[in-house]
Amino acid sequence: MAEAAALLLPGEAEALVQALRSGSLLNTGDHGWLRQHEAIEKLNMQAILSASASQEQLLIELLVNYAKIPTLIEELISVEIWKHKVFPVLCQLKDFKPKSTFPIYLVLHHEASIVNLLETMFFHKELQKQAEMMEFKISLRALSVLRFITDQVDSLPLSALTRMLNTHNVPCLLVELLEHCPWSRREAGKLKKFENGVWHVVPPEDHVRMTKLDGQVWIALYNLLLSPECQRKYNLDGFNKSQLLKLRAFLTDVLIDQLPNLVEMQRFLSHLVVTEPVPPKKDLILEQVPVIRDRIVRENSGKWQAIAKHQVKHMFSPSEDELKHLACRWARTYNLDVMEALVPEKPKCGLCGSEATKRCSRCQNEWYCKRECQVQHWQKHKKACNLMADALKKIKEDLKVQP
C-alpha cells in the first residue's frame, strides 16, 4: 500500500490541479474533456490511497490554494445536467450505433469520480443498468457529503441553512430514509445490506448492527435537530413534529449502545411529545440562487438535441483506430496495480462470480476461478481482451522508444 500511495508525485499532483478548467456542455466527451477526466481520476485514486494510508492530504491544500473546488462543483453540475437533459435524447437517436459504449460510460462515471473525490477530502478533514447502479452509489455518496455539511451547521451561510431546514426539509427526508432504508433489502429470506460498494448477506447475529450509512443519517439528524442555530430556524409545525416523532421507534437500547450520543436525541424527542414548539423567528433572508446551474441550463436551453447529435458524431462514435488510441490512454489512467490497491475484496470470476485466482494473461484485466470458465467466457471477452492487449503492447513499445 505504501508503494501504491505514490501514484502521483507532489509536482504531478500540483500540475493536474492547476490544469483543472470548467468546460462547455457541448464539449462533454471530447479529447480535452477526456484529459480532464483522466486527471480527476488520478487525483481521486491518489486521494483514496493517501486517506487509506493515513497520510497527509496534499490534494486538499492544492485544491483550496488554487481555488479549484468551485471548478469541481461546476463540473459536477454540468455532467448532472448532461445526464438528465442530453443522455436520454442521445440514446433515442436513430444514428446512435457506437462500436463501444465505454466513452459514454466515462461521462456517466465522471459524476461519481468528482463526488468521490469531494467525499474523500471531507472525510479526511449495458448502459441503462450501469447508469441506475451508478445513480444509487452517487446518491449514497451524496448522503455522506450531506452529513459532513451538517457537521458545519454553525458556520453555514444563513440562506444555505434555511434551504436545508425549511425549503428542502432535510430532517424529514432523513426520517424517510431511515423508514425505507434503500441500502437494506431482503432476498430469498436473507437480509442484505449495501456496504463498501457491494451488497452483503448479513448473518442473523448482525441484523441489529448499525451500518455506516445508518450512522451517517443519525449523525446528520443529530446535528440538524440538536444544534441551537437549527432549532431557532427549523419550522416545527404539526407535520414536521409528527414525522420526527417516528424516530422514537428506532431509538432502541441496542442502537443507543452503538451511538451513545443518541441519548440526547431521545431526550429531545421525549420533550417534543409534551411541548408545543415555538414558531421560528422570521428574519429577512436574502437567498442566493443556483448561479452555476441556472447559467448552464440557460446557455443550452432548447439545444439538447443539437448537442446530442453533435456528440454522437464527434465524441461517441470512435473508429477502431481511435478506440485503440483511447484504450492506451485508459490503460495508463486505470493502472492495474493501483486499481487493485483500491479494491479491498478479492477478484471475482468473470463468468461465475466465484473468488478468482487466475488472470487473463493477454489483457491482465479479467479474472477467472478455473480454466473452464475462461474458455466459456472467451467469445464475450474476446473483443475487450484484444483492445486491452493491443493497448498494453503499444504502451510497452512507447516505453522502449522513450529516451
Side-chain angles (χ1 to χ4, degrees), residues 64-348:
V64 171
N65 291 342
Y66 287 108
K68 294 299 182 179
I69 291 180
T71 303
L72 290 176
I73 298 296
E74 183 166 347
E75 278 284 286
L76 188 62
I77 294 171
S78 178
V79 76
E80 190 265 343
I81 293 173
W82 181 92
K83 185 175 66 176
H84 290 289
K85 298 289 189 180
V86 180
F87 180 55
V89 177
L90 185 146
C91 289
Q92 294 173 4
L93 294 177
K94 293 181 179 180
D95 55 347
F96 179 56
K97 298 176 182 178
K99 295 180 179 179
S100 172
T101 58
F102 195 72
I104 297 180
Y105 173 81
L106 287 181
V107 181
L108 295 171
H109 181 65
H110 192 60
E111 184 180 19
S113 299
I114 298 174
V115 171
N116 192 74
L117 177 57
L118 293 171
E119 181 194 21
T120 304
M121 290 170 51
F122 289 143
F123 173 78
H124 196 73
K125 173 130 165 170
E126 300 98 85
L127 274 179
Q128 188 60 35
K129 289 184 178 178
Q130 291 173 337
E132 288 175 0
M133 189 59 185
M134 200 172 299
E135 187 81 13
F136 179 66
K137 291 183 178 180
I138 290 169
S139 299
L140 297 184
R141 293 193 183 281
L143 174 60
S144 179
V145 173
L146 173 63
R147 175 251 145 154
F148 288 118
I149 292 173
T150 65
D151 286 342
Q152 309 298 325
V153 288
D154 292 336
S155 56
L156 287 177
L158 182 60
S159 62
L161 189 57
T162 302
R163 288 183 69 85
M164 285 178 63
L165 293 173
N166 297 321
T167 305
H168 299 295
N169 203 347
V170 171
C172 284
L173 290 175
L174 294 174
V175 173
E176 287 286 314
L177 275 179
L178 285 177
E179 278 193 296
H180 300 288
C181 201
W183 51 86
S184 177
R185 68 188 184 192
R186 283 195 174 272
E187 288 185 359
K190 294 182 178 179
L191 179 65
K192 286 188 173 182
K193 292 190 177 183
F194 192 84
E195 289 189 275
N196 300 320
V198 293
W199 288 96
H200 295 280
V201 175
V202 181
E205 61 271 18
D206 289 337
H207 280 193
V208 295
R209 182 178 62 85
M210 181 187 294
T211 66
K212 292 180 181 178
L213 291 165
D214 293 316
Q216 300 280 29
V217 177
W218 281 110
I219 293 171
L221 278 167
Y222 179 91
N223 291 335
L224 291 174
L225 296 179
L226 274 71
S227 162
E229 185 64 24
C230 291
Q231 289 182 352
R232 284 195 295 271
K233 300 298 178 187
Y234 189 41
N235 183 17
L236 264 173
D237 55 22
F239 172 79
N240 290 345
K241 177 179 175 180
S242 65
Q243 290 297 105
L244 295 181
L245 289 178
K246 292 179 181 180
L247 295 173
R248 299 181 72 198
F250 296 98
L251 287 170
T252 62
D253 292 340
V254 176
L255 182 70
I256 293 173
D257 284 343
Q258 297 175 73
L259 198 58
N261 284 352
L262 292 181
V263 171
E264 297 179 44
M265 172 83 73
Q266 196 174 43
R267 293 197 194 102
F268 168 77
L269 295 173
S270 298
H271 181 69
L272 187 62
V273 173
V274 297
T275 59
E276 195 63 37
V278 179
K281 183 180 178 182
K282 293 185 178 181
D283 298 320
L284 175 64
I285 297 175
L286 299 177
E287 186 173 319
Q288 293 178 317
V289 296
V291 178
I292 297 175
R293 183 182 179 85
D294 282 0
R295 175 179 57 77
I296 295 174
V297 172
R298 185 175 61 253
E299 289 175 353
N300 298 281
S301 181
K303 304 176 185 176
W304 309 120
Q305 188 163 10
I307 292 172
K309 288 182 177 180
H310 172 82
Q311 292 178 348
V312 164
K313 182 178 179 180
H314 297 285
M315 285 82 156
F316 300 131
S317 299
S319 64
E320 290 289 342
D321 289 340
E322 288 173 329
L323 275 176
K324 290 180 180 178
H325 174 69
L326 288 171
C328 290
R329 295 178 62 171
W330 298 332
R332 291 189 182 98
T333 302
Y334 301 102
N335 181 285
L336 292 177
D337 294 331
V338 176
M339 295 300 290
E340 287 174 14
L342 297 175
V343 180
E345 296 184 344
K346 293 183 179 180
K348 303 292 184 182

